[in-house]
Amino acid sequence: MAHNTKLNPNPNPNSNRIETLAITLTEEETKANKSVSKFKSIKIKDVAWLISIVTIILSLPILASAVSLLYMQDYDCEKLLSLPKVQTGIAVGLLFVFLISNGAVYASRKIPVPGFFIAMVSLLFIFTMGLALVGSDKMESKRVMATPRWFKDKVGDEYYWTNIKSCIYSKGFCDDLAYRSVNVKAYQFSLKKLSSIEDGCCKPPDSCRMEYTNATYWTKGDNRIFEERSHNKIYNGDCEIWNNSRNMLCYECESCRQGFVHILETKWKKLGVFLIVMPLFLIIAHILLFIVVMWKRYLTQS
């Protein structure tokens, strides 16, 4: 007797439902993960955009400084040390840094790595130059122009100093001081705020304790007083070098050299501080932008 048996292809009718439910849950979970990734990517994109704007804004003082250096009037007698050429060179360098920095911001969308490293190299170069200008330890050399050590080396050279003191005399710094102090009494003159050159070149050092007649004419004390001051280490060589003649005064004094160096150092140290601070801010901004862009790429590919 033959029996007809039918094979049930799905002995467990609930298994299909479970498999379907599992697939549905997996698809929903995948969609949810993609949605979260997309949400994170959008957030990262907003952060990258914000950092890009901040980086561009931070680069604007670099541009302003470059233009200012190109049009800034050179300080009197700086040409004798070829400093205007250095000033122009730094201005051109800052213009390139401005262009490279903003080019790196634009390139971060397509080629973030090359743009980042090119920006870093240019910013670190300017940062190093700033350290040299402020006279940072081990960062300056007498071969690097416009550094404190270089100034002292040049002013200490008699060839350069002969031309510099002639320039100071021809510019009439001391004549101008004398004109402004015609009716000024001794105690009033002691309260006047003088420039470093006026204080160092147009009058004897305070340690000489000379008697004031006018701004450029001073009376020395007797030899006994000078010997006593010399013994007490108050007296210095500039006291003997001083001469009331208008074409001599204290132009050969050490105080005159120091006054000229101080004027130049003040100007170039301010520039050096700027070349340290602004590139440092831009370096931080570019590092943050690079991290955010690479993170966004990782989220997009995952």
Side-chain angles (χ1 to χ4, degrees), residues 10-67:
N10 190 3
N12 187 358
N14 293 325
S15 62
N16 281 340
R17 295 178 183 177
I18 294 173
E19 289 177 4
T20 303
L21 180 61
I23 293 170
T24 303
L25 289 174
T26 302
E27 291 177 351
E28 289 179 355
E29 184 178 355
T30 302
K31 289 179 180 180
N33 290 334
K34 288 182 178 180
S35 178
V36 171
S37 297
K38 186 176 180 181
F39 177 75
K40 288 182 178 179
S41 178
I42 293 173
K43 285 291 184 182
I44 294 297
K45 184 178 180 180
D46 292 339
V47 173
W49 180 83
L50 179 62
I51 295 176
S52 298
I53 295 298
V54 171
T55 305
I56 293 172
I57 292 174
L58 286 174
S59 70
L60 293 179
I62 297 283
L63 176 62
S65 178
V67 174

Side-chain angles (χ1 to χ4, degrees), residues 194-215:
L194 306 180
S195 69
S196 298
I197 287 183
E198 289 173 340
D199 186 57
C201 305
C202 305
K203 58 179 281 294
D206 294 335
S207 59
C208 297
R209 306 286 180 87
M210 294 187 186
E211 295 181 5
Y212 171 89
T213 302
N214 60 47

Side-chain angles (χ1 to χ4, degrees), residues 112-153:
V113 176
F116 171 75
F117 281 105
I118 292 173
M120 286 298 103
V121 169
S122 62
L123 289 170
L124 286 173
F125 176 78
I126 295 296
F127 179 80
T128 304
M129 176 60 73
L131 290 177
L133 291 181
V134 300
S136 179
D137 292 339
K138 298 181 181 180
M139 295 304 297
E140 65 162 323
S141 168
K142 62 182 181 181
R143 296 181 181 179
V144 180
M145 297 180 71
T147 63
R149 188 174 176 182
W150 185 84
F151 283 133
K152 291 174 183 176
D153 183 62

